[in-house]
Amino acid sequence: MRNIDQDNITEAVVARFADCEDPRLRQVLSALVRHLHDFVREVGLTEAEWMQGIRFLTATGQMCDDKRQEFILLSDTLGVSMLTVALNQARPPGATEATVFGPFHVDDAPRLPAGSDLAAGAPGEPLFVDVEVVDLDGRPVAGAEVDVWQADEEGLYDVQRPELGQTRRARGVLVTDDAGRTHFRSIVPVAYPVPTDGPVGQLLVATGRHPWRPAHIHFLIRAPGFRTLITHIFRDPDPYLDSDVVFGVRSSLIGRFVHHDSGPLADRPYSTLAQRFVLAPQA
Ligand code: BEZ
Ligand code: FE
């Protein structure tokens, strides 16, 4: 095909995928090209803007390494991560909702017995968490793995603190008992900004957006026979619950944190949280 112009180039490109043997790849790439071309047409993209886009994506790639994934951060801040979660992680009514995974989970978090202090020295107000894991009928799920991670009082995860090296803190993996329960000590989560020292941070500034996530604790819960749940529990009040930079807040995921000026659990002010997670059965 010759004499390609703005009216026929889209179908010309899509036609080149005709011999692609993987039908899903053909479908995805054809749709991607159609939407990309429509985008270029809709905004009337200039050559200077095309070059700016190329530079932005190049810088995004150059920011990535084994600890930093700037492309995922871009996806998160453009709502693509949460849209993908919403499409793929819908649960039956009554099951705990899923939300974004985020970049700060590690596979080698310490496995800890019930009652442990996950904070392991991370600064913050003490928090005592009681977890219950049940099925859709409210029956306890014994032996569920409850993987927890969170930022410290300064809004930083352990992996964001080079001075900690491989030391893990404010994270751990527990297992529920026969009553589907476990408990641990940690610290009260605080709101924190996503990393802003890269191109995604520049994009947020250029578009007048703030970089904040409302205070939350991450949970990944696995149990045989159930769908793995990746979610957060958010703390209310928080100024960013309605403007989370990665669009991850669900009302059902706001936990009942209770503040205590004093009490039997610590010799300073502390908070408690009792949280029930309802797992959906494996499809
Ligand atoms: C997080 O909650 O850890 C997170 C999620 C998305 C982007 C950055 C951080
Ligand atoms: Fe987080």
Side-chain angles (χ1 to χ4, degrees):
M1 191 177 180
R2 294 186 185 175
N3 302 320
I4 302 284
D5 60 24
Q6 64 184 47
D7 295 322
N8 61 15
I9 189 163
T10 305
E11 286 317 311
V13 177
V14 169
R16 298 280 169 98
F17 299 133
D19 294 334
C20 174
E21 285 178 4
D22 179 338
R24 177 64 176 163
L25 183 60
R26 188 167 68 235
Q27 180 192 14
V28 169
L29 282 179
S30 301
L32 179 67
V33 166
R34 287 202 177 95
H35 285 276
L36 265 180
H37 286 205
D38 281 349
F39 154 74
V40 171
R41 277 188 271 267
E42 181 185 324
V43 302
L45 196 71
T46 66
E47 287 165 296
E49 288 164 344
W50 174 84
M51 196 61 220
Q52 201 178 352
I54 297 288
R55 284 208 188 93
F56 176 80
L57 292 174
T58 303
T60 300
Q62 286 167 341
M63 199 75 197
C64 295
D65 59 25
D66 59 340
K67 292 201 186 62
R68 176 81 178 258
Q69 232 305 348
E70 193 78 356
F71 273 115
I72 293 184
L73 189 59
L74 180 61
S75 161
D76 293 341
T77 55
L78 294 182
V80 178
S81 308
M82 197 54 203
L83 175 57
T84 309
V85 169
L87 283 173
N88 290 277
Q89 295 294 332
R91 313 261 145 166
T96 303
E97 292 187 276
T99 189
V100 284
F101 192 35
F104 298 124
H105 178 263
V106 302
D107 290 331
D108 62 351
R111 303 184 73 86
L112 300 168
S116 295
D117 182 4
L118 266 63
E125 179 181 311
L127 172 70
F128 295 87
V129 184
D130 282 310
V131 168
E132 187 186 12
V133 182
V134 298
D135 67 12
L136 282 173
D137 296 319
R139 288 180 302 230
V141 178
E145 206 177 82
V146 180
D147 190 341
V148 186
W149 67 106
Q150 67 168 100
D152 63 26
E153 189 178 51
E154 289 168 14
L156 291 173
Y157 287 81
D158 50 5
V159 291
Q160 293 177 288
R161 289 186 177 279
E163 73 273 17
L164 290 178
Q166 294 304 306
T167 304
R168 301 290 180 227
R169 67 182 202 187
R171 65 173 78 239
V173 184
L174 302 102
V175 176
T176 56
D177 62 17
D178 288 346
R181 290 177 177 277
T182 188
H183 63 286
F184 60 88
R185 176 177 172 151
S186 190
I187 47 177
V188 173
V190 298
Y192 65 83
V194 296
T196 53
D197 56 341
V200 173
Q202 287 166 8
L203 185 68
L204 293 174
V205 170
T207 52
R209 288 176 59 183
H210 75 68
W212 290 86
R213 296 221 62 210
H216 60 273
I217 303 177
H218 295 258
F219 289 88
L220 188 163
I221 304 185
R222 287 193 187 96
F226 294 92
R227 289 185 69 183
T228 295
L229 174 66
I230 295 174
T231 196
H232 306 354
I233 297 301
F234 294 92
R235 190 164 73 96
D236 192 11
D238 186 293
Y240 303 109
L241 278 172
D242 290 311
S243 63
D244 180 7
V245 66
V246 304
F247 308 94
V249 179
R250 317 284 309 160
S251 305
S252 69
L253 299 179
I254 294 177
R256 279 199 292 271
F257 288 79
V258 179
H259 179 82
H260 308 260
D261 284 328
S262 64
L265 294 179
D267 53 8
R268 52 182 282 206
Y270 63 88
S271 290
T272 51
L273 168 69
Q275 188 62 45
R276 175 182 250 221
F277 294 94
V278 183
L279 299 188
Q282 197 91 59

